[in-house]
Amino acid sequence: MACTQAQLVSGSANPGRTRSVGLWGHTVYTDANMRAEPGIESSPRGPGCSLRHFACEQNLLSRPDGSASFLQGDTSVLAGVYGPAEVKVSKEIFNKATLEVILRPKIGLPGVAEKSRERLIRNTCEAVVLGALHPRTSITVVLQVISDAGSLLACCLNAACMALVDTGVPMRALFCGVTCALDSDGTLVLDPTAKQEKEARAVLTFALDSVEQKLLMSTTKGLYSNAELQQCLAAAQAASQHVFRFYRESLQRRYSKS
Amino acid sequence: MKETPLSNCERRFLLRAIEEKKRLDGRQTYDYRNIKISFGTDYGCCIVELGKTRVLGQVSCELVSPKLNRATEGILFFNLELSQMAAPAFEPGRQSDLLVKLNRLLERCLRNSKCIDTESLCVVAGEKVWQIRVDLHLLNHDGNIIDAASIAAIVALCHFRRPDVSVQGDEVTLYTPEERDPVPLSIHHMPICVSFAFFRQGTYLLVDPNEREERVMDGLLVIAVNKHREICTIQSSGGIMLLKDQVLRCSKIAGVKVAEITELIQKALENDQKVRKEGGKFGFAESIANQRITAFKMEKAPIDTSDIEEKAEEIIAEAEPPPEVVSKPVLWTAGTAQIGEGVENSWGDIEDSEKEDEDEGGSDEAIILDSMKMDTGVEVSGTGSQDAPIVLSDSEEEEMIILEPDKNPKKIRTQTISAKTEKIPSKKQLKKRKKKRAAMLKLT
């Protein structure tokens, strides 16, 4: 199994020079040698193209400044955010907030997989959080895996976003995570379960922003063609609309009077 | 982040209230906060809420070889983690005194009281035993961690099912949950910790102190009791002197409280069992209160993905062709090979930092601008409407040149020259690409 990880997020340290994360522009040349071969052109679409049921609860913890628990099917992640708060001198950045992401597994101590996910989530958050408004502070996102039943990274991203919203951290856009899985026969499955993820030929996770559904982060595992990547992205964009609608409706409910 | 210190007036206020037999949350002296137990979808997973204190418990198992001096006994392992989520003062990866104390107390409460039959965890004597691992995560700290953690641990252990095994001769077969129903652990009794906080050198006593009360207390007495009123552990900390009567009274109170909690646990376990048997919905999604304004649920949403193929094809057709890949490796000397010369490095961060270096030189503006234009060209072809941020970056580029005059031009010049020589091939390549793209665009 080949494993590629492409991070298309550029740091917001120099916003002027930030390369726009062009959705289509970039992905085109990420992997030139994985060009679509005419033989394995797939015809996706199956019964798998739906998102599992969603549930979200905000502000359920009293200690953190903001918190949210996000459930996607049986996958569940709890997020707590502290910030903007006092920062350690060693971690202080003079012109923006220090963003920290801590991901805690349910069993045992955090390992390499958690560190790698932490980095992906941190970079995604950094791209949307307006850290320059709170220089020399820290924003800490703590994520706790409650149960893993597939699409864990996507669920982590969604939980982090809802917790950041609950905290009231200024952000230029919201973001969501969507996971796609490609079967051995090229069937595309959105929001796969653990079983589907295991059987899949490739698993792709994207983070998309809410304004233009542009790509913030992508991480992939397995083999797929150029065409399949674009199809997955397009599917993720379609799915992100649902996720953002869910965000909107849950926030509307929260700030309603009834 | 540091813990916010408690001010003197807050401290005085709390102590005065306790002297007047009043508690901030309106409880009586011997009242517990509300306990809520919810279960996850997998076995051995639960969340226990004690007021606002929240603990997540998860039990897992593994086949290991036993300890040398205990060949026929399974291994029990407890690990309580104080996540930073629970309170800002908890630092990740640090063994604080509090953490060590709590872990030790849990071990004494659950392992040393022999509440779990470790001999039943033996598969092959001296070779294979089950190791049961209990992970507890504190999610929110509002006082009385130990009571919540001990409840979470025992609930998770009661809820847990381990895979069934069979031994035939030397062969050990492990059955998946589909083949054979997993088996529960054999639990003799359920010890539960009850905390008593003492104030004013033991004059006043409170059951289940919350975080504020814990901060002003003088001493803490933890008694672990089971429902048969047998004391499993007793620990007094904080250095207060207690009278015999006080301890006896506390153990009596603990007995009553534990009977109540045990009943609650059994009810919760039965409830979960019933729902699972009937095939109803279970898991944390069900335990989220629907009527709460902060909670929201959405049913399974189908996604229309019919036009994805066309969209993807369109994009691939529109996109610029990938740069030619040098397929033949160049052999400079024996044992070396080089591929991909002349292809531009697409790692954004490295490029950015290089550009900064070049800026300081100020002498090869043309190249920078050129490469910037290349970038914009690429982006525009890809996205169509991405000009705005790039225009901005251009202007910033120029400003920086004005702001930063050459300080030691000599050193930088050598740098820029090297940069130039490096850039030249890529420049040519890029121009070629640009032309090609132009042709492509005309065609389409």
Side-chain angles (χ1 to χ4, degrees):
Chain A
M1 271 275 244
C3 183
T4 63
Q5 243 180 25
Q7 271 177 261
L8 308 178
V9 181
S10 37
S12 53
N14 36 7
R17 209 171 288 132
T18 301
R19 259 158 150 259
S20 65
V21 190
L23 174 45
W24 313 119
H26 251 289
T27 43
V28 175
Y29 47 65
T30 41
D31 28 27
N33 32 15
M34 273 202 202
R35 292 267 293 152
E37 284 159 45
I40 49 164
E41 207 65 346
S42 55
S43 57
R45 251 30 6 88
C49 275
S50 67
L51 299 173
R52 291 176 288 176
H53 65 266
F54 277 31
C56 174
E57 187 177 357
Q58 281 188 311
N59 209 355
L60 67 167
L61 304 179
S62 66
R63 290 305 288 273
D65 296 318
S67 56
S69 92
F70 204 93
L71 289 103
Q72 279 177 245
D74 291 334
T75 308
S76 160
V77 175
L78 181 66
V81 177
Y82 288 98
E86 172 195 351
V87 65
K88 266 192 199 157
V89 184
S90 57
K91 286 180 185 163
E92 186 180 291
I93 304 174
F94 73 93
N95 62 351
K96 64 167 185 167
T98 310
L99 210 123
E100 240 186 307
V101 174
I102 300 166
L103 177 62
R104 306 185 62 90
K106 197 156 77 150
I107 297 166
L109 297 167
V112 179
E114 277 75 30
K115 290 281 158 218
S116 138
R117 287 201 182 111
E118 272 176 17
R119 227 180 81 105
L120 294 168
I121 298 163
R122 195 190 67 217
N123 287 344
T124 312
C125 293
E126 264 176 2
V128 291
V129 169
L130 297 166
L133 294 178
H134 300 285
R136 298 172 63 199
T137 58
S138 79
I139 297 170
T140 313
V141 182
V142 192
L143 296 158
Q144 171 72 54
V145 180
I146 304 277
S147 65
D148 178 11
S151 314
L152 183 65
L153 183 59
C155 194
C156 286
L157 285 162
N158 293 336
C161 182
M162 285 311 256
L164 284 166
V165 169
D166 186 40
T167 317
V169 172
M171 295 197 276
R172 75 183 91 235
L174 299 184
F175 61 94
C176 77
V178 181
T179 301
C180 308
L182 287 163
D183 277 1
S184 47
D185 54 343
T187 319
L188 194 150
V189 182
L190 277 169
D191 198 16
T193 58
K195 192 165 161 257
Q196 285 168 327
E197 257 181 7
K198 214 172 164 187
E199 288 164 355
R201 167 163 56 98
V203 180
L204 304 95
T205 303
F206 305 106
L208 301 159
D209 81 302
S210 63
V211 179
E212 288 173 288
Q213 277 80 49
K214 287 236 154 55
L215 191 65
L216 291 167
M217 185 275 293
S218 93
T219 173
T220 70
K221 194 180 160 200
L223 286 168
Y224 51 87
S225 71
N226 200 352
E228 281 170 333
L229 170 67
Q230 299 297 350
Q231 280 163 3
C232 285
L233 256 175
Q237 280 185 314
S240 75
Q241 299 281 11
H242 281 261
V243 183
F244 290 128
R245 196 184 311 142
F246 173 75
Y247 281 5
R248 176 169 286 277
E249 281 169 17
S250 64
L251 289 171
Q252 252 168 8
R253 180 186 156 108
R254 199 181 149 188
Y255 292 107
S256 66
K257 279 179 187 165
S258 54
Chain B
M1 243 169 92
K2 278 180 216 122
E3 189 84 55
T4 332
L6 202 67
S7 65
N8 285 338
C9 42
E10 256 180 303
R11 183 179 296 273
R12 269 203 303 275
F13 169 73
L14 282 165
L15 284 171
R16 177 89 56 83
I18 289 162
E19 277 165 21
E20 288 171 15
K21 307 265 177 210
K22 280 174 189 152
R23 293 175 87 167
L24 274 184
D25 41 14
R27 282 184 289 162
Q28 295 297 312
T29 316
Y30 303 129
D31 282 356
Y32 248 85
R33 287 171 285 178
N34 279 339
I35 300 173
K36 188 184 163 198
I37 301 167
S38 43
F39 296 99
T41 41
D42 22 346
Y43 284 120
C45 178
C46 70
I47 290 182
V48 170
E49 289 167 50
L50 177 62
K52 281 175 185 165
T53 300
R54 235 180 238 245
V55 177
L56 165 73
Q58 170 71 55
V59 180
S60 51
C61 65
E62 201 185 348
L63 274 174
V64 293
S65 47
K67 285 175 184 161
L68 286 175
N69 51 353
R70 298 241 155 97
T72 59
E73 282 185 22
I75 301 166
L76 271 174
F77 185 78
F78 295 93
N79 183 36
L80 172 67
E81 299 248 358
L82 302 179
S83 159
Q84 212 186 357
M85 191 190 280
F90 295 144
E91 279 172 51
R94 221 187 92 223
Q95 285 273 331
S96 63
D97 289 351
L98 175 70
L99 182 57
V100 175
K101 189 186 119 186
L102 290 172
N103 263 320
R104 187 71 199 112
L105 197 52
L106 261 180
E107 273 182 10
R108 275 171 49 193
C109 168
L110 291 158
R111 191 200 285 153
N112 300 5
S113 67
K114 303 247 166 45
C115 65
I116 289 156
D117 183 13
T118 44
E119 286 197 359
S120 72
L121 297 171
C122 177
V123 181
V124 181
E127 279 178 35
K128 281 270 173 290
V129 294
W130 284 108
Q131 186 193 45
I132 306 292
R133 186 192 166 97
V134 185
D135 280 280
L136 299 163
H137 298 271
L138 183 66
L139 304 176
N140 197 41
H141 175 27
D142 192 36
N144 206 358
I145 302 169
I146 188 66
D147 289 16
S150 81
I151 296 170
I154 200 73
V155 170
L157 282 167
C158 290
H159 190 248
F160 183 65
R161 303 279 185 277
R162 68 172 168 83
D164 201 3
V165 283
S166 72
V167 186
Q168 282 178 327
D170 289 345
E171 226 170 84
V172 179
T173 331
L174 198 73
Y175 297 98
T176 57
E178 288 81 31
E179 286 168 342
R180 270 194 199 181
D181 279 341
V183 285
L185 306 172
S186 64
I187 291 164
H188 298 314
H189 59 96
M190 289 156 74
I192 289 162
C193 293
V194 178
S195 306
F196 300 88
F198 289 93
F199 303 86
R200 297 267 188 235
Q201 299 309 314
T203 326
Y204 301 99
L205 170 149
L206 290 182
V207 175
D208 182 27
N210 64 22
E211 203 253 344
R212 283 291 140 110
E213 289 161 350
E214 271 187 358
R215 282 212 199 181
V216 295
M217 72 184 174
D218 289 329
L220 185 74
L221 180 72
V222 181
I223 305 179
V225 188
N226 60 20
K227 73 171 178 193
H228 315 297
R229 301 204 172 192
E230 294 162 332
I231 292 174
C232 301
T233 306
I234 189 158
Q235 176 177 301
S236 158
S237 59
I240 47 152
M241 261 85 79
L242 294 172
L243 298 169
K244 193 174 125 198
D245 288 357
Q246 279 178 309
V247 178
L248 284 175
R249 204 177 69 193
C250 285
S251 66
K252 263 184 205 153
I253 297 165
V256 176
K257 292 288 156 203
V258 165
E260 284 169 19
I261 296 167
T262 311
E263 202 174 309
L264 180 87
I265 292 173
Q266 249 139 17
K267 217 182 263 171
L269 283 165
E270 268 166 35
N271 212 5
D272 183 69
Q273 207 74 25
K274 211 172 85 188
V275 174
R276 272 172 203 262
K277 219 178 220 170
E278 284 166 4
K281 284 182 179 172
F282 54 91
F284 290 126
E286 295 316 301
S287 62
I288 291 183
N290 247 339
Q291 61 277 18
R292 210 172 281 174
I293 204 165
T294 50
F296 189 70
K297 289 181 193 177
M298 184 178 79
E299 280 312 300
K300 200 171 164 179
I303 301 236
D304 180 30
T305 49
S306 48
D307 60 335
I308 279 172
E309 240 171 308
E310 292 100 74
K311 233 189 198 174
E313 264 168 37
E314 221 172 84
I315 287 147
I316 291 165
E318 265 179 33
E320 123 196 78
E324 285 133 78
V325 180
V326 183
S327 53
K328 276 186 200 159
V330 186
L331 293 172
W332 294 105
T333 51
T336 63
Q338 186 188 342
I339 50 162
E341 194 203 14
V343 179
E344 199 192 10
N345 186 354
S346 61
W347 289 87
D349 285 354
I350 299 164
E351 233 175 67
D352 278 354
S353 62
E354 268 174 18
K355 269 178 204 158
E356 256 167 25
D357 287 349
E358 284 162 16
D359 283 357
E360 282 169 31
S363 56
D364 56 355
E365 234 180 273
I367 286 175
I368 298 161
L369 286 176
D370 208 29
S371 64
M372 283 309 291
K373 268 179 204 156
M374 297 298 170
D375 282 354
T376 56
V378 172
E379 304 294 1
V380 168
S381 78
T383 53
S385 58
Q386 274 299 309
D387 319 54
I390 289 136
V391 171
L392 238 171
S393 74
D394 261 355
S395 66
E396 207 201 353
E397 213 66 43
E398 279 157 16
E399 268 170 28
M400 278 188 71
I401 294 160
I402 298 159
L403 281 169
E404 288 226 313
D406 291 6
K407 272 176 189 160
N408 42 357
K410 253 191 189 171
K411 204 179 162 191
I412 289 155
R413 194 137 301 154
T414 51
Q415 266 180 14
T416 50
I417 285 163
S418 66
K420 245 184 203 172
T421 47
E422 271 168 27
K423 276 274 171 176
I424 284 166
S426 67
K427 219 175 124 190
K428 272 185 189 165
Q429 181 92 16
L430 274 168
K431 265 191 187 154
K432 238 196 250 169
R433 269 164 63 184
K434 220 179 169 185
K435 268 182 200 164
K436 244 187 220 167
R437 202 184 49 245
M440 276 278 293
L441 282 175
K442 264 178 206 165
L443 280 172
T444 53

